[in-house]
Amino acid sequence: MNERPLSTALRPSACPGLLRIVPALDGGICRIKLNGGSISSVQAEAVADAAERFASGVIEATNRANLQVRGIGGEQAALIDNLLAAGLGPQTAAGDDVRNLMLSPSAGIDQQMLFDTRPLAGQILATLQSHEAFHDLSAKFAVQLDAGEALAMLEHPHDLWLSAFERNGECRLAFGLAGCPTDLPAGSVALVDGHALIVAVLELFLELARPEQTRMRHLLTEYPVEDFLARLAERVPMQAVADWRRESGSDALHIGAHFQADADLVYVGALPPLGRLDPVMLRGAARLAHELGDASLRFTPWQSLLLPNVRNENTAEVIERMEQLGFLCQPGQPLSRLIACTGSNGCAKGLADTKGDARQLATLLPQSLNVHVSGCLRSCAAAHTAPVTLLAVAPGHYDLYFRDAALPGFGVLHAHNLTIEAVATLLDARSRSPLDA
Ligand code: SF4
C-alpha cells in the first residue's frame, strides 16, 4: 500500500496526474497511469468505487493505456487517498508524470513476442521514478518498448522507441528517436543493454535540450541526429541495423478473443464505446476477470481493455457477459472503429458534442470505418493521424479530412462545415468508390 507522498512538491503542468487534478467543464480530471496498462481486479474495483463516490462516475480509457476519472467535485483528497490506498500511485510524487512507458497489451502472453517485456519494463519504470534528474522530463515525454508482439500499437509517435528483433540467433533491441517502431531504426543494442540505452538517451536529452525543447523532436530540429547518436555510442555499445524494419501490426487484434502463446488460453478484447466506462462496467469487467481470467485487466492504446488468461472453454461466456455490460467485442460494429475526444460536454475548447455526434455517425455508417471526431485542433483522442478526421467547426458541424502521408496534421481537407448526415453520405459514397484507399 502506498503512502501519500505529500512532502514532495508536485510539478506544475496542465496535464492531469493522479496527484494533480486538473479542472475541466465537467469537473476535475484525475489520470491514473497504469504499469504496462495493467490493473488488478481489486484496483479496478477501487477506481470504480472512487469514481462513484467522489466524481460523476465517468471513467475514460486513454490512448496511452491509462485511466482517467472525470467530474471530480470537492472531495479531491479523498479520491486521491482511495486510489493511493489501492496501490495505484507513483513511488514518489514527482515520479508520477514520467511513468510513460507503453508496452503491448499482450506483453508476456502474445503468440509472436520475442521476449516478455514486463521485467525490463518494471526496471525502467522504477528508474524513471527514482532517478531525480528524470523528473525534469515533460509529462508527455514517452517511451515505447515492443517485443514484436502481434498486438501492438505501432502508430503512436514516441520520444524513444525500442523494438525487438533477432539476428544470428540473438535477440536485440532496435531503437529510434521521435518516431514509431515501423520507422527505420537509428541503431540497435543487445537486449541486456536495453535499460542502459534508455537511461543514456534520457540523460543525453536532458543535457542537450533547452527548457522549451520538451520533446525529442524539438531537440532534433536543431541538433543533428547523427551527432546525438555519436554521443550516445560513447555511453552504450550500439550497432547499425541495415536490413530490418518492424512490420506493421494488425488493427483487429485488440477486440474479440485471440489465442495466447499458451494455446489453452485466450485474451478477450473489449471496447467501451468511445473509450468511456461507468463504474458498473468497470466493476463488472473486474469481477469477470477475477472469476474467469487471472484477476487482472489490461488497458490498451485503442482505448479498450483485455481480459488476459481466459481458458478457451470460457471464451463465449466472457464475451457474452462483457457485451451485457455494454462493451463492444465484435470488430465489425461501426462504433468500435470511432474515436472521439471529450468535446463540448466536458471541455471548454470543444466546438461540438463530439461523443454524441460520433454515436450518431455510427448509426448512419453502413460499414465500419476508422474515424476520429475531434472537438478542436488539439486532437486529444488520437495520438496518431486517423484515416478520416472530423474537426469540429460549430455544434454539429465538421471539416472532413483524409489522411495523407505527405501532409502533416489531419491530412487533406476534403470538405468544410458538414453535418453528421452529410459526412455519413460522403463517407458511404467514398467507401463504394474503386478509388477509395
Ligand atoms: S481535442 Fe479539443 S475539444 Fe477535444 S478534448 Fe481535446 S482540447 Fe477538448
Side-chain angles (χ1 to χ4, degrees), residues 162-222:
L162 298 90
S163 183
F165 69 109
E166 279 182 335
R167 187 55 33 96
N168 303 323
E170 182 198 4
C171 182
R172 295 185 63 81
L173 287 168
F175 69 90
L177 307 172
C180 318
T182 49
D183 295 343
L184 279 176
S188 78
V189 295
L191 186 55
V192 71
D193 290 326
H195 179 265
L197 174 81
I198 293 175
V199 170
V201 168
L202 301 191
E203 286 180 343
L204 192 51
F205 171 81
L206 288 167
E207 285 166 33
L208 296 173
R210 294 195 308 275
E212 67 274 21
Q213 292 171 323
T214 56
R215 306 296 300 273
M216 185 65 78
R217 65 175 188 275
H218 303 150
L219 173 66
L220 296 183
T221 55
E222 64 179 49

Coordinates of all heavy atoms in Angstrom, one line a residue, residues 162-222:
L162 N 11.8 1.3 -28.7 CA 12.7 0.1 -28.8 C 11.9 -1.1 -29.3 O 10.7 -1.2 -28.8 CB 13.3 -0.3 -27.4 CG 14.2 0.8 -26.7 CD1 13.4 1.7 -25.9 CD2 15.3 0.1 -25.9
S163 N 12.4 -1.8 -30.2 CA 11.7 -2.9 -30.8 C 12.6 -4.1 -31.0 O 13.7 -4.0 -31.6 CB 11.0 -2.5 -32.1 OG 10.2 -3.5 -32.6
A164 N 12.1 -5.3 -30.5 CA 13.0 -6.5 -30.5 C 13.0 -7.1 -31.9 O 12.0 -7.1 -32.6 CB 12.5 -7.5 -29.5
F165 N 14.2 -7.6 -32.3 CA 14.3 -8.4 -33.5 C 15.4 -9.4 -33.3 O 16.2 -9.3 -32.3 CB 14.6 -7.5 -34.7 CG 16.0 -6.9 -34.7 CD1 17.0 -7.3 -35.6 CD2 16.3 -5.9 -33.8 CE1 18.2 -6.8 -35.6 CE2 17.6 -5.3 -33.9 CZ 18.5 -5.7 -34.7
E166 N 15.5 -10.5 -34.1 CA 16.5 -11.5 -34.0 C 17.6 -11.4 -35.1 O 17.2 -11.1 -36.2 CB 15.9 -12.9 -34.0 CG 15.3 -13.2 -32.7 CD 14.7 -14.6 -32.6 OE1 14.3 -15.2 -33.7 OE2 14.6 -15.2 -31.5
R167 N 18.8 -11.5 -34.7 CA 19.9 -11.5 -35.6 C 20.9 -12.6 -35.2 O 21.4 -12.5 -34.1 CB 20.6 -10.1 -35.6 CG 21.6 -9.8 -36.7 CD 21.2 -10.1 -38.1 NE 19.8 -9.9 -38.4 CZ 19.3 -8.8 -39.0 NH1 20.1 -7.8 -39.2 NH2 18.0 -8.7 -39.3
N168 N 21.2 -13.5 -36.1 CA 22.1 -14.6 -35.8 C 21.8 -15.3 -34.4 O 22.7 -15.5 -33.6 CB 23.5 -14.1 -35.8 CG 23.9 -13.4 -37.1 OD1 23.4 -13.9 -38.2 ND2 24.6 -12.3 -37.1
G169 N 20.5 -15.5 -34.2 CA 20.1 -16.3 -33.0 C 20.1 -15.4 -31.8 O 19.8 -15.9 -30.7
E170 N 20.4 -14.1 -31.9 CA 20.5 -13.2 -30.7 C 19.3 -12.3 -30.8 O 18.9 -11.7 -31.9 CB 21.8 -12.4 -30.7 CG 21.9 -11.5 -29.5 CD 22.9 -10.3 -29.7 OE1 23.5 -10.2 -30.8 OE2 23.1 -9.6 -28.8
C171 N 18.6 -12.1 -29.7 CA 17.5 -11.1 -29.6 C 18.2 -9.7 -29.3 O 18.9 -9.5 -28.3 CB 16.5 -11.4 -28.5 SG 15.1 -10.3 -28.5
R172 N 17.9 -8.7 -30.2 CA 18.5 -7.4 -30.0 C 17.3 -6.4 -29.9 O 16.2 -6.7 -30.3 CB 19.4 -7.0 -31.1 CG 20.7 -7.9 -31.1 CD 21.7 -7.4 -32.2 NE 22.2 -6.0 -31.9 CZ 23.2 -5.7 -31.1 NH1 23.8 -6.7 -30.4 NH2 23.6 -4.5 -30.9
L173 N 17.6 -5.2 -29.5 CA 16.6 -4.1 -29.5 C 17.0 -3.0 -30.5 O 18.0 -2.3 -30.3 CB 16.5 -3.5 -28.1 CG 15.8 -4.4 -27.0 CD1 16.0 -3.8 -25.6 CD2 14.3 -4.5 -27.3
A174 N 16.2 -2.9 -31.6 CA 16.4 -1.8 -32.4 C 15.8 -0.6 -31.7 O 14.9 -0.7 -30.8 CB 15.6 -2.0 -33.8
F175 N 16.2 0.6 -32.1 CA 15.6 1.8 -31.4 C 15.6 2.9 -32.4 O 16.3 3.0 -33.4 CB 16.4 2.1 -30.1 CG 17.8 2.7 -30.4 CD1 18.0 4.1 -30.5 CD2 18.8 1.8 -30.4 CE1 19.2 4.6 -30.7 CE2 20.1 2.3 -30.7 CZ 20.3 3.7 -30.8
G176 N 14.7 3.9 -32.1 CA 14.6 5.1 -32.8 C 14.2 6.3 -32.0 O 13.7 6.1 -30.9
L177 N 14.4 7.5 -32.5 CA 14.2 8.7 -31.7 C 13.0 9.5 -32.4 O 13.0 9.6 -33.6 CB 15.4 9.6 -31.6 CG 16.7 8.9 -31.1 CD1 17.9 9.8 -31.3 CD2 16.5 8.5 -29.7
A178 N 12.1 10.0 -31.6 CA 11.0 10.8 -32.1 C 10.3 10.2 -33.3 O 10.2 10.7 -34.4 CB 11.6 12.2 -32.5
G179 N 9.7 9.0 -33.1 CA 9.0 8.3 -34.2 C 8.3 7.0 -33.7 O 8.0 6.9 -32.5
C180 N 8.1 6.1 -34.6 CA 7.4 4.9 -34.3 C 8.2 3.7 -34.6 O 9.1 3.8 -35.5 CB 6.1 4.7 -35.1 SG 5.2 6.2 -35.3
P181 N 7.9 2.5 -34.1 CA 8.7 1.3 -34.3 C 8.7 0.9 -35.8 O 9.6 0.1 -36.2 CB 8.1 0.2 -33.5 CG 7.5 1.0 -32.4 CD 7.0 2.3 -33.0
T182 N 7.8 1.3 -36.6 CA 7.8 1.0 -38.0 C 8.8 1.9 -38.8 O 8.9 1.7 -40.0 CB 6.4 1.0 -38.6 OG1 5.8 2.3 -38.2 CG2 5.5 -0.1 -38.1
D183 N 9.3 2.9 -38.2 CA 10.3 3.7 -38.9 C 11.7 3.0 -39.0 O 11.9 1.9 -38.3 CB 10.6 5.0 -38.0 CG 9.4 5.9 -37.9 OD1 8.5 5.8 -38.7 OD2 9.5 6.8 -37.0
L184 N 12.6 3.5 -39.8 CA 13.9 2.9 -39.9 C 14.6 3.1 -38.6 O 14.6 4.2 -38.1 CB 14.7 3.5 -41.0 CG 14.4 3.1 -42.5 CD1 15.3 3.9 -43.4 CD2 14.7 1.6 -42.6
P185 N 15.2 2.0 -38.0 CA 15.9 2.2 -36.7 C 17.1 3.1 -36.9 O 17.8 3.1 -37.9 CB 16.3 0.7 -36.4 CG 15.6 -0.2 -37.3 CD 15.2 0.6 -38.5
A186 N 17.4 3.7 -35.7 CA 18.6 4.5 -35.7 C 19.8 3.6 -35.3 O 21.0 4.0 -35.6 CB 18.5 5.6 -34.7
G187 N 19.6 2.5 -34.7 CA 20.6 1.6 -34.3 C 20.0 0.5 -33.5 O 18.8 0.3 -33.4
S188 N 20.9 -0.4 -32.9 CA 20.4 -1.4 -32.0 C 21.4 -1.7 -30.9 O 22.6 -1.3 -31.0 CB 20.2 -2.7 -32.8 OG 21.4 -3.4 -33.1
V189 N 20.9 -2.3 -29.8 CA 21.7 -2.6 -28.7 C 21.3 -4.1 -28.3 O 20.3 -4.6 -28.7 CB 21.5 -1.7 -27.5 CG1 21.9 -0.3 -27.8 CG2 20.0 -1.8 -27.0
A190 N 22.2 -4.7 -27.6 CA 21.9 -6.1 -27.0 C 20.8 -5.9 -26.1 O 20.6 -4.9 -25.4 CB 23.1 -6.6 -26.4
L191 N 20.0 -7.0 -26.0 CA 18.8 -6.9 -25.0 C 19.3 -6.5 -23.6 O 18.6 -5.7 -23.0 CB 18.1 -8.3 -25.0 CG 16.9 -8.5 -24.3 CD1 15.8 -7.4 -24.7 CD2 16.3 -9.9 -24.5
V192 N 20.4 -7.0 -23.2 CA 20.9 -6.8 -21.9 C 21.2 -5.3 -21.7 O 21.3 -4.8 -20.5 CB 22.1 -7.7 -21.6 CG1 23.3 -7.3 -22.4 CG2 22.4 -7.8 -20.1
D193 N 21.4 -4.6 -22.8 CA 21.7 -3.1 -22.7 C 20.5 -2.2 -22.9 O 20.7 -1.0 -23.0 CB 22.8 -2.8 -23.7 CG 24.2 -3.3 -23.4 OD1 24.5 -3.5 -22.2 OD2 24.9 -3.7 -24.3
G194 N 19.3 -2.8 -22.9 CA 18.1 -2.0 -23.2 C 17.9 -1.0 -22.1 O 17.6 0.2 -22.4
H195 N 18.0 -1.3 -20.8 CA 17.8 -0.4 -19.8 C 18.9 0.7 -19.8 O 18.6 1.9 -19.7 CB 17.9 -1.1 -18.4 CG 17.7 -0.2 -17.2 ND1 18.8 0.3 -16.5 CD2 16.6 0.3 -16.6 CE1 18.4 1.1 -15.6 NE2 17.0 1.1 -15.6
A196 N 20.1 0.3 -20.1 CA 21.2 1.3 -20.1 C 21.0 2.3 -21.3 O 21.3 3.5 -21.2 CB 22.6 0.6 -20.3
L197 N 20.5 1.8 -22.4 CA 20.2 2.7 -23.6 C 19.2 3.7 -23.2 O 19.4 4.9 -23.5 CB 19.7 1.9 -24.8 CG 19.3 2.8 -25.9 CD1 20.5 3.2 -26.7 CD2 18.2 2.1 -26.8
I198 N 18.1 3.3 -22.5 CA 17.1 4.3 -22.2 C 17.6 5.3 -21.2 O 17.4 6.5 -21.4 CB 15.8 3.5 -21.6 CG1 15.2 2.7 -22.6 CG2 14.9 4.5 -21.0 CD1 14.0 1.8 -22.1
V199 N 18.4 4.9 -20.2 CA 19.0 5.9 -19.3 C 19.9 6.8 -20.1 O 19.8 8.1 -19.9 CB 19.7 5.1 -18.2 CG1 20.6 6.1 -17.4 CG2 18.8 4.3 -17.3
A200 N 20.7 6.3 -21.0 CA 21.6 7.1 -21.7 C 20.9 8.1 -22.6 O 21.3 9.3 -22.7 CB 22.6 6.3 -22.5
V201 N 19.9 7.7 -23.3 CA 19.1 8.6 -24.2 C 18.5 9.7 -23.4 O 18.6 10.9 -23.7 CB 18.0 7.8 -25.0 CG1 17.1 8.8 -25.7 CG2 18.7 6.9 -26.0
L202 N 17.9 9.3 -22.3 CA 17.2 10.4 -21.5 C 18.2 11.4 -20.8 O 17.9 12.6 -20.8 CB 16.3 9.7 -20.4 CG 15.2 8.8 -20.8 CD1 14.3 8.4 -19.7 CD2 14.4 9.3 -22.0
E203 N 19.3 10.8 -20.4 CA 20.3 11.7 -19.8 C 20.9 12.7 -20.8 O 21.0 13.9 -20.6 CB 21.4 10.9 -19.1 CG 20.9 10.3 -17.8 CD 22.0 9.5 -17.1 OE1 23.0 9.1 -17.7 OE2 21.8 9.2 -15.9
L204 N 21.1 12.1 -22.0 CA 21.7 12.9 -23.1 C 20.7 14.0 -23.5 O 21.0 15.2 -23.8 CB 22.1 12.0 -24.2 CG 23.0 12.6 -25.4 CD1 24.2 13.3 -24.8 CD2 23.4 11.5 -26.3
F205 N 19.4 13.6 -23.6 CA 18.4 14.5 -24.0 C 18.4 15.7 -23.0 O 18.3 16.9 -23.4 CB 17.0 13.8 -24.0 CG 15.9 14.8 -24.2 CD1 15.6 15.3 -25.5 CD2 15.1 15.2 -23.1 CE1 14.5 16.2 -25.6 CE2 14.1 16.1 -23.3 CZ 13.8 16.6 -24.5
L206 N 18.4 15.4 -21.7 CA 18.3 16.4 -20.7 C 19.5 17.3 -20.7 O 19.4 18.5 -20.4 CB 18.1 15.8 -19.3 CG 16.7 15.2 -19.1 CD1 16.6 14.3 -17.9 CD2 15.6 16.3 -19.0
E207 N 20.7 16.7 -21.1 CA 21.9 17.6 -21.1 C 21.8 18.5 -22.3 O 22.3 19.7 -22.2 CB 23.1 16.6 -21.3 CG 23.5 15.9 -20.1 CD 24.5 14.8 -20.4 OE1 25.3 14.9 -21.3 OE2 24.4 13.7 -19.7
L208 N 21.2 18.1 -23.4 CA 21.3 18.9 -24.6 C 20.1 19.8 -24.9 O 20.3 20.9 -25.5 CB 21.4 17.9 -25.9 CG 22.7 17.1 -25.9 CD1 22.6 16.1 -27.1 CD2 23.9 18.0 -26.1
A209 N 19.0 19.4 -24.4 CA 17.7 20.2 -24.7 C 17.6 21.5 -23.9 O 18.0 21.5 -22.7 CB 16.5 19.3 -24.5
R210 N 17.2 22.5 -24.5 CA 16.9 23.8 -23.7 C 15.5 23.6 -23.1 O 14.7 22.7 -23.5 CB 16.8 25.0 -24.7 CG 18.2 25.3 -25.3 CD 18.1 26.7 -26.0 NE 17.0 26.9 -26.9 CZ 17.0 26.5 -28.1 NH1 18.1 26.0 -28.7 NH2 15.9 26.7 -28.9
P211 N 15.2 24.3 -22.0 CA 13.9 24.1 -21.3 C 12.7 24.1 -22.2 O 11.8 23.3 -22.0 CB 13.9 25.3 -20.3 CG 15.3 25.7 -20.1 CD 16.0 25.4 -21.4
E212 N 12.7 24.9 -23.3 CA 11.5 24.9 -24.1 C 11.5 23.7 -25.1 O 10.4 23.4 -25.7 CB 11.4 26.2 -24.9 CG 12.5 26.5 -25.9 CD 13.7 27.1 -25.4 OE1 13.9 27.0 -24.2 OE2 14.5 27.7 -26.2
Q213 N 12.6 23.0 -25.2 CA 12.6 21.8 -26.0 C 12.2 20.6 -25.2 O 13.0 19.8 -24.7 CB 14.0 21.6 -26.6 CG 14.3 22.7 -27.6 CD 15.8 22.6 -28.0 OE1 16.7 22.3 -27.3 NE2 16.0 23.0 -29.3
T214 N 10.9 20.4 -25.0 CA 10.4 19.4 -24.1 C 10.3 18.0 -24.7 O 10.2 17.0 -24.0 CB 9.0 19.8 -23.6 OG1 8.1 20.0 -24.7 CG2 9.1 21.1 -22.8
R215 N 10.3 17.9 -26.0 CA 10.2 16.6 -26.7 C 11.4 16.3 -27.5 O 12.1 17.3 -28.0 CB 8.9 16.6 -27.5 CG 7.6 16.9 -26.8 CD 7.3 15.9 -25.7 NE 7.1 14.6 -26.2 CZ 6.0 14.1 -26.6 NH1 4.9 14.9 -26.6 NH2 5.9 12.9 -27.1
M216 N 11.7 15.1 -27.8 CA 12.9 14.7 -28.6 C 12.8 15.4 -30.0 O 13.8 15.8 -30.5 CB 12.9 13.2 -28.7 CG 14.1 12.7 -29.5 SD 15.7 13.0 -28.6 CE 15.6 11.7 -27.3
R217 N 11.6 15.5 -30.5 CA 11.5 16.0 -31.9 C 11.9 17.5 -31.9 O 12.4 18.0 -32.9 CB 10.1 15.9 -32.5 CG 9.0 16.6 -31.7 CD 7.7 16.4 -32.5 NE 6.6 17.2 -31.9 CZ 5.9 16.9 -30.8 NH1 6.0 15.7 -30.3 NH2 5.0 17.7 -30.3
H218 N 11.7 18.2 -30.8 CA 12.1 19.6 -30.7 C 13.6 19.7 -30.7 O 14.2 20.5 -31.5 CB 11.6 20.3 -29.4 CG 10.1 20.2 -29.2 ND1 9.5 20.1 -28.0 CD2 9.1 20.2 -30.1 CE1 8.2 20.1 -28.1 NE2 7.9 20.1 -29.4
L219 N 14.3 18.9 -30.0 CA 15.7 18.9 -29.9 C 16.3 18.6 -31.3 O 17.2 19.2 -31.8 CB 16.3 17.9 -28.9 CG 17.8 17.7 -28.8 CD1 18.4 19.0 -28.4 CD2 18.2 16.6 -27.9
L220 N 15.7 17.6 -32.0 CA 16.3 17.1 -33.2 C 16.1 18.0 -34.4 O 16.7 17.8 -35.4 CB 15.9 15.7 -33.5 CG 16.3 14.6 -32.5 CD1 15.8 13.2 -32.9 CD2 17.8 14.6 -32.3
T221 N 15.2 19.0 -34.2 CA 15.1 20.0 -35.3 C 16.4 20.9 -35.4 O 16.6 21.4 -36.4 CB 13.9 21.0 -35.1 OG1 14.0 21.5 -33.8 CG2 12.6 20.2 -35.2
E222 N 17.1 21.0 -34.3 CA 18.3 21.8 -34.4 C 19.6 21.1 -34.0 O 20.7 21.6 -34.3 CB 18.2 23.1 -33.6 CG 18.0 22.9 -32.1 CD 17.9 24.3 -31.4 OE1 17.1 25.1 -31.9 OE2 18.7 24.5 -30.5

